[in-house]
Amino acid sequence: MNKETRDRIDRTLSFIQPWLLLGFIIIFVPGVVFFTFYYSDKFLPYPVSEHGREIVPLFNTTTILTGLAFFLTQILLFFFAFRYRKKVGRQARYLKNFLKLELFWTVIPALAFIFLFVWGQILWAKIQAEPEGDVVEIDVMGEQFNWWVRYPGQDGELGRSGFEYIDQVNHMGIDFTDPGSLDDFIPMQIHIPKGRPVKLHIRTRDVIHSFFLPHFRVKMDAVPGMITKVNFTATTTTAEMREKLNDPTFNYEVACAELCGRMHFAMKMILVVDTPEEYGEWLKEQKSWLSQHPEYRINYTSQ
Ligand SMILES: [Cu+2]
């Protein structure tokens, strides 16, 4: 390619590009607003946990503030790229010492960030505070690509567990030398009672997973070698939610929110919110894991 051709391409591009940038503002910006509202029925329904209701105003404020900043800066960015496009005979000017302007765009965003940070931090401390009252404790374990949950059983105590006890059958590595483990049970669905605080102890036996309950605004990573904790209190039963959404097949779902491998998308579990009475009934129906795997009683308790 000779110099003349290169110059011609260069001139053509510097003529077209500013107009493309202007077109971007005209099409993209209204497009974002339009589709946000167009698909608003696909948004998550109002949270069904006590702390979730407090997250809503924080989430909305953050979205509005960052949204305004986004539109303002993007519109200016693309507009200026158009307005000051290359023109024969126009020289760029170098401006300096605009202290007031620099203070303006440094201090205002800084204050906005501090405000959001403090609000979020106060709320997070409240969510992570030790729950009071009649707490339902559940041991949760992630594995590629399943969730396992263990309940304390009649004695209200989760028995010990350890990685050394994990095998093909004892997925959660329950330690049966601990009497607290004897009546623990592992259901295929999570049941929790409405109105009682739930405390989850979250573990993983392989890679990082993330325990995500979108309807409850609960999300906590499962980190190898650690037990992470998260608390929440459900405010709406599954039956009430089915009525509210007019969908008799609706179920709350646990999802994995950390890309953890090939079958990550399928790593989910159903969570049922019962009335306290239904929950009591369900608890009574559960059989201890040990009663279904009696061979483990021999293996560990005879040692
Ligand atoms: Cu996962």
Side-chain angles (χ1 to χ4, degrees), residues 208-210 256 258 260 264 267:
I208 301 176
H209 300 279
S210 188
C256 180
E258 179 69 52
C260 59
H264 161 70
M267 189 168 165

Side-chain angles (χ1 to χ4, degrees), residues 163-212:
F163 286 92
E164 61 274 35
Y165 300 105
I166 291 178
D167 60 33
Q168 293 290 320
V169 184
N170 186 0
H171 297 279
M172 298 187 75
I174 309 174
D175 171 4
F176 289 106
T177 61
D178 178 5
S181 303
L182 302 181
D183 59 355
D184 291 2
F185 64 90
I186 299 184
M188 296 317 287
Q189 289 184 348
I190 308 176
H191 279 246
I192 59 169
K194 172 182 164 175
R196 263 174 73 185
V198 175
K199 180 174 182 183
L200 305 175
H201 305 249
I202 302 170
R203 303 185 281 145
T204 164
R205 45 182 279 185
D206 38 52
V207 300
I208 301 176
H209 300 279
S210 188
F211 185 90
F212 183 29

